[in-house]
mmCIF file of all heavy atoms in Angstrom:
data_model
loop_
_atom_site.group_PDB
_atom_site.id
_atom_site.type_symbol
_atom_site.label_atom_id
_atom_site.label_comp_id
_atom_site.label_asym_id
_atom_site.label_seq_id
_atom_site.Cartn_x
_atom_site.Cartn_y
_atom_site.Cartn_z
ATOM 1 N N GLU A 326 32.381 -18.484 -5.961
ATOM 2 C CA GLU A 326 31.125 -18.597 -5.231
ATOM 3 C C GLU A 326 30.379 -19.819 -5.761
ATOM 4 O O GLU A 326 30.389 -20.104 -6.967
ATOM 5 C CB GLU A 326 30.333 -17.319 -5.499
ATOM 6 C CG GLU A 326 29.231 -16.935 -4.544
ATOM 7 C CD GLU A 326 29.560 -17.004 -3.065
ATOM 8 O OE1 GLU A 326 30.724 -16.748 -2.666
ATOM 9 O OE2 GLU A 326 28.633 -17.329 -2.324
ATOM 10 N N ILE A 327 29.780 -20.583 -4.846
ATOM 11 C CA ILE A 327 29.002 -21.751 -5.266
ATOM 12 C C ILE A 327 27.659 -21.274 -5.811
ATOM 13 O O ILE A 327 26.902 -20.583 -5.114
ATOM 14 C CB ILE A 327 28.751 -22.705 -4.081
ATOM 15 C CG1 ILE A 327 30.063 -23.099 -3.429
ATOM 16 C CG2 ILE A 327 27.965 -23.922 -4.539
ATOM 17 C CD1 ILE A 327 30.849 -24.126 -4.171
ATOM 18 N N VAL A 328 27.373 -21.626 -7.061
ATOM 19 C CA VAL A 328 26.112 -21.193 -7.666
ATOM 20 C C VAL A 328 25.444 -22.387 -8.351
ATOM 21 O O VAL A 328 26.040 -23.447 -8.533
ATOM 22 C CB VAL A 328 26.336 -20.071 -8.705
ATOM 23 C CG1 VAL A 328 26.900 -18.831 -8.035
ATOM 24 C CG2 VAL A 328 27.258 -20.550 -9.816
ATOM 25 N N ASN A 329 24.174 -22.210 -8.717
ATOM 26 C CA ASN A 329 23.433 -23.218 -9.473
ATOM 27 C C ASN A 329 23.674 -22.974 -10.958
ATOM 28 O O ASN A 329 23.083 -22.080 -11.547
ATOM 29 C CB ASN A 329 21.924 -23.119 -9.188
ATOM 30 C CG ASN A 329 21.618 -23.303 -7.727
ATOM 31 O OD1 ASN A 329 22.023 -24.276 -7.106
ATOM 32 N ND2 ASN A 329 20.911 -22.341 -7.159
ATOM 33 N N TRP A 330 24.520 -23.792 -11.525
ATOM 34 C CA TRP A 330 24.870 -23.603 -12.940
ATOM 35 C C TRP A 330 24.087 -24.600 -13.775
ATOM 36 O O TRP A 330 24.122 -25.806 -13.543
ATOM 37 C CB TRP A 330 26.369 -23.766 -13.113
ATOM 38 C CG TRP A 330 26.854 -24.027 -14.510
ATOM 39 C CD1 TRP A 330 27.672 -25.022 -14.919
ATOM 40 C CD2 TRP A 330 26.567 -23.251 -15.689
ATOM 41 N NE1 TRP A 330 27.929 -24.944 -16.245
ATOM 42 C CE2 TRP A 330 27.250 -23.865 -16.764
ATOM 43 C CE3 TRP A 330 25.804 -22.109 -15.942
ATOM 44 C CZ2 TRP A 330 27.196 -23.381 -18.067
ATOM 45 C CZ3 TRP A 330 25.737 -21.625 -17.243
ATOM 46 C CH2 TRP A 330 26.442 -22.256 -18.294
ATOM 47 N N CYS A 331 23.312 -24.076 -14.735
ATOM 48 C CA CYS A 331 22.478 -24.911 -15.584
ATOM 49 C C CYS A 331 22.979 -24.806 -17.014
ATOM 50 O O CYS A 331 22.617 -23.878 -17.733
ATOM 51 C CB CYS A 331 21.015 -24.483 -15.491
ATOM 52 S SG CYS A 331 19.930 -25.458 -16.563
ATOM 53 N N PRO A 332 23.839 -25.746 -17.452
ATOM 54 C CA PRO A 332 24.384 -25.654 -18.811
ATOM 55 C C PRO A 332 23.295 -25.691 -19.869
ATOM 56 O O PRO A 332 23.400 -25.027 -20.896
ATOM 57 C CB PRO A 332 25.290 -26.891 -18.906
ATOM 58 C CG PRO A 332 25.553 -27.290 -17.497
ATOM 59 C CD PRO A 332 24.346 -26.916 -16.721
ATOM 60 N N GLY A 333 22.226 -26.464 -19.612
ATOM 61 C CA GLY A 333 21.179 -26.586 -20.616
ATOM 62 C C GLY A 333 20.523 -25.261 -20.948
ATOM 63 O O GLY A 333 20.067 -25.042 -22.066
ATOM 64 N N LEU A 334 20.440 -24.386 -19.946
ATOM 65 C CA LEU A 334 19.838 -23.070 -20.168
ATOM 66 C C LEU A 334 20.900 -21.994 -20.370
ATOM 67 O O LEU A 334 20.569 -20.862 -20.726
ATOM 68 C CB LEU A 334 18.951 -22.678 -18.986
ATOM 69 C CG LEU A 334 17.663 -23.490 -18.814
ATOM 70 C CD1 LEU A 334 16.941 -23.058 -17.549
ATOM 71 C CD2 LEU A 334 16.759 -23.310 -20.021
ATOM 72 N N GLY A 335 22.147 -22.351 -20.117
ATOM 73 C CA GLY A 335 23.221 -21.391 -20.334
ATOM 74 C C GLY A 335 23.252 -20.280 -19.310
ATOM 75 O O GLY A 335 23.731 -19.189 -19.581
ATOM 76 N N THR A 336 22.742 -20.539 -18.111
ATOM 77 C CA THR A 336 22.727 -19.472 -17.122
ATOM 78 C C THR A 336 22.782 -20.081 -15.734
ATOM 79 O O THR A 336 22.534 -21.276 -15.550
ATOM 80 C CB THR A 336 21.476 -18.600 -17.260
ATOM 81 O OG1 THR A 336 21.560 -17.517 -16.339
ATOM 82 C CG2 THR A 336 20.209 -19.405 -17.000
ATOM 83 N N VAL A 337 23.130 -19.254 -14.760
ATOM 84 C CA VAL A 337 22.979 -19.682 -13.382
ATOM 85 C C VAL A 337 21.529 -19.470 -12.978
ATOM 86 O O VAL A 337 20.824 -18.646 -13.545
ATOM 87 C CB VAL A 337 23.920 -18.907 -12.428
ATOM 88 C CG1 VAL A 337 25.363 -19.216 -12.757
ATOM 89 C CG2 VAL A 337 23.641 -17.419 -12.501
ATOM 90 N N LEU A 338 21.092 -20.269 -12.008
ATOM 91 C CA LEU A 338 19.702 -20.204 -11.577
ATOM 92 C C LEU A 338 19.623 -19.880 -10.100
ATOM 93 O O LEU A 338 20.526 -20.212 -9.327
ATOM 94 C CB LEU A 338 18.994 -21.546 -11.830
ATOM 95 C CG LEU A 338 18.838 -21.985 -13.273
ATOM 96 C CD1 LEU A 338 18.230 -23.382 -13.331
ATOM 97 C CD2 LEU A 338 17.970 -20.993 -14.034
ATOM 98 N N ALA A 339 18.513 -19.267 -9.720
ATOM 99 C CA ALA A 339 18.221 -19.073 -8.316
ATOM 100 C C ALA A 339 17.787 -20.404 -7.714
ATOM 101 O O ALA A 339 17.315 -21.295 -8.421
ATOM 102 C CB ALA A 339 17.117 -18.034 -8.147
ATOM 103 N N ASP A 340 17.944 -20.559 -6.391
ATOM 104 C CA ASP A 340 17.530 -21.795 -5.733
ATOM 105 C C ASP A 340 16.078 -22.129 -6.038
ATOM 106 O O ASP A 340 15.712 -23.293 -6.197
ATOM 107 C CB ASP A 340 17.707 -21.669 -4.216
ATOM 108 C CG ASP A 340 19.174 -21.756 -3.820
ATOM 109 O OD1 ASP A 340 19.986 -22.176 -4.675
ATOM 110 O OD2 ASP A 340 19.497 -21.389 -2.682
ATOM 111 N N GLU A 342 14.509 -21.734 -8.615
ATOM 112 C CA GLU A 342 14.319 -22.209 -9.981
ATOM 113 C C GLU A 342 14.835 -23.626 -10.161
ATOM 114 O O GLU A 342 14.846 -24.143 -11.266
ATOM 115 C CB GLU A 342 15.017 -21.257 -10.968
ATOM 116 C CG GLU A 342 14.444 -19.863 -10.949
ATOM 117 C CD GLU A 342 15.305 -18.847 -11.690
ATOM 118 O OE1 GLU A 342 16.541 -18.887 -11.573
ATOM 119 O OE2 GLU A 342 14.718 -18.005 -12.389
ATOM 120 N N VAL A 343 15.266 -24.227 -9.059
ATOM 121 C CA VAL A 343 15.811 -25.579 -9.102
ATOM 122 C C VAL A 343 14.870 -26.509 -8.351
ATOM 123 O O VAL A 343 14.430 -26.196 -7.244
ATOM 124 C CB VAL A 343 17.215 -25.616 -8.457
ATOM 125 C CG1 VAL A 343 17.790 -27.024 -8.533
ATOM 126 C CG2 VAL A 343 18.127 -24.621 -9.151
ATOM 127 N N THR A 344 14.540 -27.648 -8.954
ATOM 128 C CA THR A 344 13.614 -28.582 -8.320
ATOM 129 C C THR A 344 14.327 -29.390 -7.253
ATOM 130 O O THR A 344 15.558 -29.375 -7.143
ATOM 131 C CB THR A 344 13.027 -29.550 -9.355
ATOM 132 O OG1 THR A 344 14.086 -30.380 -9.849
ATOM 133 C CG2 THR A 344 12.383 -28.800 -10.514
ATOM 134 N N GLU A 346 14.760 -32.394 -7.291
ATOM 135 C CA GLU A 346 15.574 -33.422 -7.941
ATOM 136 C C GLU A 346 16.847 -32.846 -8.541
ATOM 137 O O GLU A 346 17.581 -33.544 -9.244
ATOM 138 C CB GLU A 346 14.782 -34.117 -9.052
ATOM 139 C CG GLU A 346 13.665 -35.026 -8.551
ATOM 140 C CD GLU A 346 12.453 -34.241 -8.086
ATOM 141 O OE1 GLU A 346 12.105 -33.259 -8.777
ATOM 142 O OE2 GLU A 346 11.882 -34.584 -7.041
ATOM 143 N N GLY A 347 17.091 -31.553 -8.304
ATOM 144 C CA GLY A 347 18.321 -30.961 -8.804
ATOM 145 C C GLY A 347 18.283 -30.664 -10.289
ATOM 146 O O GLY A 347 19.305 -30.729 -10.977
ATOM 147 N N ARG A 348 17.106 -30.382 -10.811
ATOM 148 C CA ARG A 348 16.987 -30.032 -12.226
ATOM 149 C C ARG A 348 16.304 -28.688 -12.343
ATOM 150 O O ARG A 348 15.667 -28.206 -11.395
ATOM 151 C CB ARG A 348 16.200 -31.114 -12.970
ATOM 152 C CG ARG A 348 16.836 -32.496 -12.851
ATOM 153 C CD ARG A 348 16.018 -33.556 -13.539
ATOM 154 N NE ARG A 348 16.198 -33.577 -14.985
ATOM 155 C CZ ARG A 348 17.157 -34.265 -15.611
ATOM 156 N NH1 ARG A 348 18.034 -34.962 -14.892
ATOM 157 N NH2 ARG A 348 17.256 -34.261 -16.912
ATOM 158 N N SER A 349 16.428 -28.086 -13.530
ATOM 159 C CA SER A 349 15.833 -26.767 -13.705
ATOM 160 C C SER A 349 14.316 -26.884 -13.763
ATOM 161 O O SER A 349 13.768 -27.789 -14.394
ATOM 162 C CB SER A 349 16.351 -26.119 -14.995
ATOM 163 O OG SER A 349 15.979 -26.891 -16.115
ATOM 164 N N ALA A 350 13.640 -25.973 -13.085
ATOM 165 C CA ALA A 350 12.182 -25.979 -13.109
ATOM 166 C C ALA A 350 11.686 -25.755 -14.534
ATOM 167 O O ALA A 350 10.669 -26.312 -14.940
ATOM 168 C CB ALA A 350 11.635 -24.905 -12.178
ATOM 169 N N ASN A 353 13.642 -28.769 -17.289
ATOM 170 C CA ASN A 353 14.072 -29.988 -16.616
ATOM 171 C C ASN A 353 15.492 -30.410 -17.002
ATOM 172 O O ASN A 353 15.793 -31.577 -17.196
ATOM 173 C CB ASN A 353 13.074 -31.134 -16.908
ATOM 174 C CG ASN A 353 13.160 -32.227 -15.849
ATOM 175 O OD1 ASN A 353 13.402 -31.931 -14.677
ATOM 176 N ND2 ASN A 353 13.002 -33.473 -16.261
ATOM 177 N N TYR A 354 16.391 -29.422 -17.101
ATOM 178 C CA TYR A 354 17.798 -29.709 -17.393
ATOM 179 C C TYR A 354 18.541 -29.953 -16.083
ATOM 180 O O TYR A 354 18.133 -29.471 -15.028
ATOM 181 C CB TYR A 354 18.452 -28.531 -18.117
ATOM 182 C CG TYR A 354 17.882 -28.249 -19.479
ATOM 183 C CD1 TYR A 354 17.054 -27.155 -19.696
ATOM 184 C CD2 TYR A 354 18.188 -29.085 -20.558
ATOM 185 C CE1 TYR A 354 16.540 -26.890 -20.949
ATOM 186 C CE2 TYR A 354 17.668 -28.822 -21.818
ATOM 187 C CZ TYR A 354 16.846 -27.731 -22.009
ATOM 188 O OH TYR A 354 16.342 -27.476 -23.250
ATOM 189 N N PRO A 355 19.634 -30.692 -16.134
ATOM 190 C CA PRO A 355 20.436 -30.869 -14.918
ATOM 191 C C PRO A 355 21.034 -29.547 -14.450
ATOM 192 O O PRO A 355 21.369 -28.678 -15.272
ATOM 193 C CB PRO A 355 21.549 -31.841 -15.346
ATOM 194 C CG PRO A 355 21.268 -32.240 -16.740
ATOM 195 C CD PRO A 355 20.183 -31.392 -17.297
ATOM 196 N N VAL A 356 21.155 -29.425 -13.141
ATOM 197 C CA VAL A 356 21.734 -28.231 -12.536
ATOM 198 C C VAL A 356 22.904 -28.675 -11.668
ATOM 199 O O VAL A 356 22.813 -29.666 -10.944
ATOM 200 C CB VAL A 356 20.689 -27.487 -11.680
ATOM 201 C CG1 VAL A 356 21.334 -26.355 -10.901
ATOM 202 C CG2 VAL A 356 19.576 -26.955 -12.567
ATOM 203 N N TYR A 357 24.016 -27.981 -11.780
ATOM 204 C CA TYR A 357 25.212 -28.337 -11.021
ATOM 205 C C TYR A 357 25.553 -27.230 -10.049
ATOM 206 O O TYR A 357 25.546 -26.047 -10.397
ATOM 207 C CB TYR A 357 26.395 -28.566 -11.973
ATOM 208 C CG TYR A 357 26.126 -29.639 -12.995
ATOM 209 C CD1 TYR A 357 25.689 -29.295 -14.269
ATOM 210 C CD2 TYR A 357 26.264 -30.985 -12.675
ATOM 211 C CE1 TYR A 357 25.411 -30.269 -15.211
ATOM 212 C CE2 TYR A 357 25.986 -31.966 -13.607
ATOM 213 C CZ TYR A 357 25.570 -31.608 -14.876
ATOM 214 O OH TYR A 357 25.286 -32.580 -15.802
ATOM 215 N N ARG A 358 25.850 -27.637 -8.810
ATOM 216 C CA ARG A 358 26.371 -26.672 -7.831
ATOM 217 C C ARG A 358 27.875 -26.613 -8.043
ATOM 218 O O ARG A 358 28.570 -27.621 -7.895
ATOM 219 C CB ARG A 358 26.077 -27.153 -6.406
ATOM 220 C CG ARG A 358 24.605 -27.375 -6.130
ATOM 221 C CD ARG A 358 23.931 -26.131 -5.613
ATOM 222 N NE ARG A 358 24.482 -25.698 -4.341
ATOM 223 C CZ ARG A 358 24.226 -24.498 -3.812
ATOM 224 N NH1 ARG A 358 23.459 -23.657 -4.472
ATOM 225 N NH2 ARG A 358 24.752 -24.170 -2.672
ATOM 226 N N ARG A 359 28.369 -25.478 -8.438
ATOM 227 C CA ARG A 359 29.803 -25.411 -8.681
ATOM 228 C C ARG A 359 30.315 -24.001 -8.414
ATOM 229 O O ARG A 359 29.576 -23.026 -8.510
ATOM 230 C CB ARG A 359 30.121 -25.824 -10.116
ATOM 231 C CG ARG A 359 29.436 -24.977 -11.151
ATOM 232 C CD ARG A 359 29.683 -25.508 -12.534
ATOM 233 N NE ARG A 359 31.070 -25.383 -12.921
ATOM 234 C CZ ARG A 359 31.556 -25.766 -14.087
ATOM 235 N NH1 ARG A 359 30.741 -26.316 -14.969
ATOM 236 N NH2 ARG A 359 32.813 -25.615 -14.383
ATOM 237 N N PRO A 360 31.579 -23.926 -8.036
ATOM 238 C CA PRO A 360 32.140 -22.601 -7.762
ATOM 239 C C PRO A 360 32.429 -21.871 -9.067
ATOM 240 O O PRO A 360 32.993 -22.444 -10.002
ATOM 241 C CB PRO A 360 33.438 -22.911 -7.006
ATOM 242 C CG PRO A 360 33.804 -24.292 -7.426
ATOM 243 C CD PRO A 360 32.547 -25.005 -7.810
ATOM 244 N N LEU A 361 32.021 -20.629 -9.119
ATOM 245 C CA LEU A 361 32.324 -19.796 -10.275
ATOM 246 C C LEU A 361 32.820 -18.441 -9.764
ATOM 247 O O LEU A 361 32.439 -17.991 -8.685
ATOM 248 C CB LEU A 361 31.074 -19.591 -11.138
ATOM 249 C CG LEU A 361 30.585 -20.845 -11.871
ATOM 250 C CD1 LEU A 361 29.243 -20.581 -12.515
ATOM 251 C CD2 LEU A 361 31.618 -21.265 -12.922
ATOM 252 N N GLN A 363 32.831 -14.788 -9.343
ATOM 253 C CA GLN A 363 31.732 -13.829 -9.399
ATOM 254 C C GLN A 363 32.112 -12.540 -8.683
ATOM 255 O O GLN A 363 32.948 -12.550 -7.778
ATOM 256 C CB GLN A 363 30.490 -14.402 -8.695
ATOM 257 C CG GLN A 363 29.984 -15.709 -9.257
ATOM 258 C CD GLN A 363 29.242 -15.526 -10.559
ATOM 259 O OE1 GLN A 363 28.603 -14.498 -10.774
ATOM 260 N NE2 GLN A 363 29.343 -16.503 -11.448
ATOM 261 N N GLN A 413 25.011 -13.430 -15.718
ATOM 262 C CA GLN A 413 25.539 -13.746 -17.054
ATOM 263 C C GLN A 413 24.546 -13.370 -18.151
ATOM 264 O O GLN A 413 24.665 -13.808 -19.282
ATOM 265 C CB GLN A 413 25.890 -15.227 -17.142
ATOM 266 C CG GLN A 413 27.076 -15.606 -16.282
ATOM 267 C CD GLN A 413 26.738 -15.706 -14.818
ATOM 268 O OE1 GLN A 413 25.744 -16.310 -14.431
ATOM 269 N NE2 GLN A 413 27.555 -15.077 -13.984
ATOM 270 N N GLN A 455 24.965 -24.753 -22.944
ATOM 271 C CA GLN A 455 26.375 -25.125 -22.938
ATOM 272 C C GLN A 455 26.510 -26.622 -22.714
ATOM 273 O O GLN A 455 25.566 -27.296 -22.314
ATOM 274 C CB GLN A 455 27.091 -24.388 -21.793
ATOM 275 C CG GLN A 455 26.913 -22.894 -21.808
ATOM 276 C CD GLN A 455 27.712 -22.226 -22.897
ATOM 277 O OE1 GLN A 455 28.822 -22.650 -23.212
ATOM 278 N NE2 GLN A 455 27.147 -21.191 -23.500
ATOM 279 N N ASP A 456 27.711 -27.126 -22.916
ATOM 280 C CA ASP A 456 28.002 -28.497 -22.517
ATOM 281 C C ASP A 456 27.999 -28.594 -20.995
ATOM 282 O O ASP A 456 28.207 -27.614 -20.295
ATOM 283 C CB ASP A 456 29.385 -28.928 -23.043
ATOM 284 C CG ASP A 456 29.407 -28.926 -24.562
ATOM 285 O OD1 ASP A 456 28.313 -29.091 -25.155
ATOM 286 O OD2 ASP A 456 30.491 -28.726 -25.130
ATOM 287 N N ASP A 457 27.822 -29.846 -20.522
ATOM 288 C CA ASP A 457 27.676 -30.028 -19.094
ATOM 289 C C ASP A 457 28.869 -29.537 -18.286
ATOM 290 O O ASP A 457 28.723 -29.024 -17.181
ATOM 291 C CB ASP A 457 27.449 -31.519 -18.780
ATOM 292 C CG ASP A 457 26.046 -31.931 -19.170
ATOM 293 O OD1 ASP A 457 25.308 -31.072 -19.704
ATOM 294 O OD2 ASP A 457 25.700 -33.090 -18.927
ATOM 295 N N ASP A 458 30.073 -29.717 -18.811
ATOM 296 C CA ASP A 458 31.245 -29.386 -18.004
ATOM 297 C C ASP A 458 31.841 -28.026 -18.359
ATOM 298 O O ASP A 458 32.926 -27.699 -17.922
ATOM 299 C CB ASP A 458 32.306 -30.485 -18.161
ATOM 300 C CG ASP A 458 32.671 -30.694 -19.626
ATOM 301 O OD1 ASP A 458 31.986 -30.072 -20.480
ATOM 302 O OD2 ASP A 458 33.603 -31.455 -19.893
ATOM 303 N N SER A 459 31.105 -27.242 -19.122
ATOM 304 C CA SER A 459 31.646 -25.939 -19.501
ATOM 305 C C SER A 459 31.228 -24.888 -18.487
ATOM 306 O O SER A 459 30.309 -25.082 -17.701
ATOM 307 C CB SER A 459 31.135 -25.535 -20.879
ATOM 308 O OG SER A 459 29.734 -25.390 -20.841
ATOM 309 N N ASP A 460 31.918 -23.768 -18.511
ATOM 310 C CA ASP A 460 31.560 -22.638 -17.663
ATOM 311 C C ASP A 460 30.498 -21.807 -18.367
ATOM 312 O O ASP A 460 30.389 -21.833 -19.592
ATOM 313 C CB ASP A 460 32.795 -21.756 -17.407
ATOM 314 C CG ASP A 460 33.684 -22.387 -16.342
ATOM 315 O OD1 ASP A 460 33.220 -23.325 -15.670
ATOM 316 O OD2 ASP A 460 34.831 -21.927 -16.215
ATOM 317 N N PRO A 461 29.712 -21.058 -17.596
ATOM 318 C CA PRO A 461 28.729 -20.180 -18.242
ATOM 319 C C PRO A 461 29.425 -19.114 -19.079
ATOM 320 O O PRO A 461 30.455 -18.579 -18.685
ATOM 321 C CB PRO A 461 27.981 -19.554 -17.064
ATOM 322 C CG PRO A 461 28.850 -19.768 -15.885
ATOM 323 C CD PRO A 461 29.657 -20.987 -16.145
ATOM 324 P P C B 320 21.632 -17.676 -4.899
ATOM 325 O OP1 C B 320 21.672 -18.845 -4.051
ATOM 326 O OP2 C B 320 22.438 -17.642 -6.147
ATOM 327 O "O5'" C B 320 20.138 -17.343 -5.310
ATOM 328 C "C5'" C B 320 19.821 -16.076 -5.863
ATOM 329 C "C4'" C B 320 18.327 -15.975 -5.957
ATOM 330 O "O4'" C B 320 17.715 -16.321 -4.703
ATOM 331 C "C3'" C B 320 17.794 -14.589 -6.232
ATOM 332 O "O3'" C B 320 17.918 -14.251 -7.592
ATOM 333 C "C2'" C B 320 16.349 -14.699 -5.772
ATOM 334 O "O2'" C B 320 15.559 -15.218 -6.816
ATOM 335 C "C1'" C B 320 16.436 -15.720 -4.651
ATOM 336 N N1 C B 320 16.197 -15.166 -3.301
ATOM 337 C C2 C B 320 15.023 -15.555 -2.646
ATOM 338 O O2 C B 320 14.260 -16.331 -3.215
ATOM 339 N N3 C B 320 14.777 -15.062 -1.413
ATOM 340 C C4 C B 320 15.624 -14.228 -0.844
ATOM 341 N N4 C B 320 15.330 -13.790 0.373
ATOM 342 C C5 C B 320 16.828 -13.826 -1.493
ATOM 343 C C6 C B 320 17.076 -14.314 -2.706
#
Side-chain angles (χ1 to χ4, degrees):
Chain A
E326 200 47 33
I327 305 283
V328 297
N329 301 307
W330 162 232
C331 178
L334 291 176
T336 184
V337 295
L338 295 175
D340 285 346
E342 297 168 319
V343 181
T344 66
E346 289 76 41
R348 302 178 79 87
S349 62
N353 202 34
Y354 295 106
V356 172
Y357 302 97
R358 302 270 297 167
R359 59 185 293 180
L361 291 171
Q363 302 284 328
Q413 291 77 47
Q455 306 286 324
D456 297 334
D457 286 2
D458 56 353
S459 63
D460 282 347

